[in-house]
Amino acid sequence: MSSAAPGKNSRRTYLVIGAVAAAAVAGGGLLVVYLQTRIPSSPSLTRQVIPPQSQMAAKVVETPVPQMQQSSVRTVAAPVTSTLKTKVPVARQTAEKTAPSPRHLQATGAKHATAASTAPRETPAVERKAVVKDRASLDAYLFAARSAEARRDYSQAMHQYRKALEADPHNYRILNNLASTSLSMGMFTDALGYANRALQLKGDYVSALVNGGIAQGRLGNENGARIMLGRAVAVDPVNRMALYNLALSQERSALLDDALSSYRRLSDTGDAQGMLGMARIRERRGEHQDALRLYREVTALPEAGQRVREAARERINVLDR
């Protein structure tokens, strides 16, 4: 009896331990299931790669418009010619320096210049929208006109500018270009008419005032020419084209003191034509030594072109005899 009792006790102990272990395992499994349902699993970490910010160049898109803000004026010693020297398709104002003879002085045309038979009254600029249905066509007309001018085909240039004016009838720059082209073709009355129309739209347009003054001078109205050119200088006191043509008109009219003053102002801008003109005035006054000194200075000016230097050397040779 005593030996059987311990065996039963040990079996009972093993059974209790086994039951406890099974309960522990089952409880652990239930705990795991509970935790999985109540606590969501942590998402895997992902990196959003942001590309480096690139430098963006601001691009200004410009609607192609006729760029004829400035005009080209030719100063010539022969018949008046006005040409627009351009880097196509942009019109620029340039001055081709040709020494005029003291006996035969001629003015030169300026792209964007106009005048009236009598000086037109100052009128405020009238800002009007272009009546342009097809901007591309207008630009094509202007490009063709400037290309023709570069070839000295002024008839074709006139034709293209007129087509451009039909597309944009209130464009004072186109009107002035027509005035300049008319000067190149020797059509001085037409040049004056186009110049006046440009000035009606913009009364202080310097290039138009210059072309108008030139046209009046070529039509024999030197007084009207000086009025228009004087107005141009009043608007822009250092405009070489205006100063040069004003000085020429004064010299042709034998207003030597006024011409000397205008040439001096032109020379102060760095234009060799100014000093050449001053020398001519001194020579006409009989001040030959002063004239020789100025002529020699002209030949040494780095900005003096070949024609200007040749004109100065010619007068030196005459005065040195």
Side-chain angles (χ1 to χ4, degrees):
M1 296 285 296
S2 60
S3 61
K8 290 181 180 180
N9 290 336
S10 84
R11 282 198 300 273
R12 189 176 294 122
T13 301
Y14 292 145
L15 289 174
V16 171
I17 293 172
V20 171
V25 171
L30 292 172
L31 180 60
V32 170
V33 172
Y34 172 79
L35 291 175
Q36 288 179 341
T37 57
R38 296 290 293 179
I39 302 175
S41 59
S42 300
S44 60
L45 296 177
T46 58
R47 291 179 56 195
Q48 182 179 2
V49 180
I50 302 175
Q53 185 176 7
S54 59
Q55 294 181 348
M56 301 177 63
K59 214 176 169 185
V60 179
V61 180
E62 296 182 355
T63 304
V65 294
Q67 299 181 3
M68 293 174 291
Q69 299 284 343
Q70 294 186 342
S71 60
S72 80
V73 180
R74 300 182 59 206
T75 58
V76 296
V80 173
T81 57
S82 111
T83 60
L84 177 63
K85 298 185 176 180
T86 63
K87 283 186 178 178
V88 178
V90 179
R92 296 183 308 167
Q93 178 182 28
T94 61
E96 180 182 334
K97 297 168 183 161
T98 307
S101 163
R103 291 172 297 175
H104 186 64
L105 297 174
Q106 302 292 344
T108 65
K111 268 302 177 199
H112 311 333
T114 68
S117 326
T118 58
R121 292 175 299 172
E122 186 76 18
T123 56
V126 179
E127 297 297 335
R128 293 176 179 154
K129 287 189 177 180
V131 184
V132 182
K133 294 182 180 178
D134 185 357
R135 172 62 65 179
S137 295
L138 175 61
D139 292 340
Y141 297 148
L142 294 173
F143 181 87
R146 288 189 288 266
S147 298
E149 283 184 311
R151 302 190 305 270
R152 296 182 182 272
D153 185 353
Y154 299 117
S155 178
Q156 180 63 18
M158 179 73 73
H159 176 67
Q160 294 297 331
Y161 277 133
R162 282 173 176 163
K163 290 171 70 174
L165 187 63
E166 289 177 4
D168 190 357
H170 303 303
N171 192 313
Y172 60 88
R173 294 186 181 94
I174 296 176
L175 284 165
N176 180 67
N177 286 345
L178 282 164
S180 179
T181 303
S182 297
L183 286 175
S184 296
M185 299 176 70
M187 301 162 54
F188 306 122
T189 300
D190 289 348
L192 190 58
Y194 284 124
N196 284 331
R197 289 172 63 184
L199 286 174
Q200 287 175 358
L201 295 170
K202 187 172 176 59
D204 61 349
Y205 191 30
V206 172
S207 293
L209 291 167
V210 172
N211 278 342
I214 292 169
Q216 291 195 67
R218 296 298 292 158
L219 290 170
N221 184 5
E222 288 292 352
N223 183 59
R226 290 194 301 276
I227 291 173
M228 296 301 297
L229 294 166
R231 284 178 56 194
V233 171
V235 174
D236 186 356
V238 294
N239 187 291
R240 295 182 179 185
M241 182 169 39
L243 285 168
Y244 178 73
N245 284 287
L246 175 60
L248 282 181
S249 180
Q250 292 164 337
E251 185 175 0
R252 286 195 301 264
S253 301
L255 301 173
L256 301 186
D257 288 342
D258 292 340
L260 183 62
S261 175
S262 295
Y263 280 129
R264 183 177 291 110
R265 292 173 65 183
L266 179 62
S267 178
D268 290 341
T269 69
D271 194 320
Q273 287 279 15
M275 186 171 291
L276 182 64
M278 291 170 62
R280 264 198 324 272
I281 299 300
R282 296 291 188 186
E283 182 180 354
R284 290 184 64 177
R285 285 178 165 180
E287 303 168 1
H288 291 175
Q289 291 304 314
D290 287 339
L292 273 172
R293 175 180 57 80
L294 289 170
Y295 282 132
R296 290 189 177 107
E297 288 184 22
V298 170
T299 62
L301 289 176
E303 65 269 21
Q306 181 178 356
R307 290 184 179 181
V308 172
R309 288 191 179 121
E310 287 177 355
R313 291 190 188 104
E314 179 183 345
R315 300 312 305 162
I316 291 172
N317 292 335
V318 171
L319 294 176
D320 271 343
R321 291 175 185 172

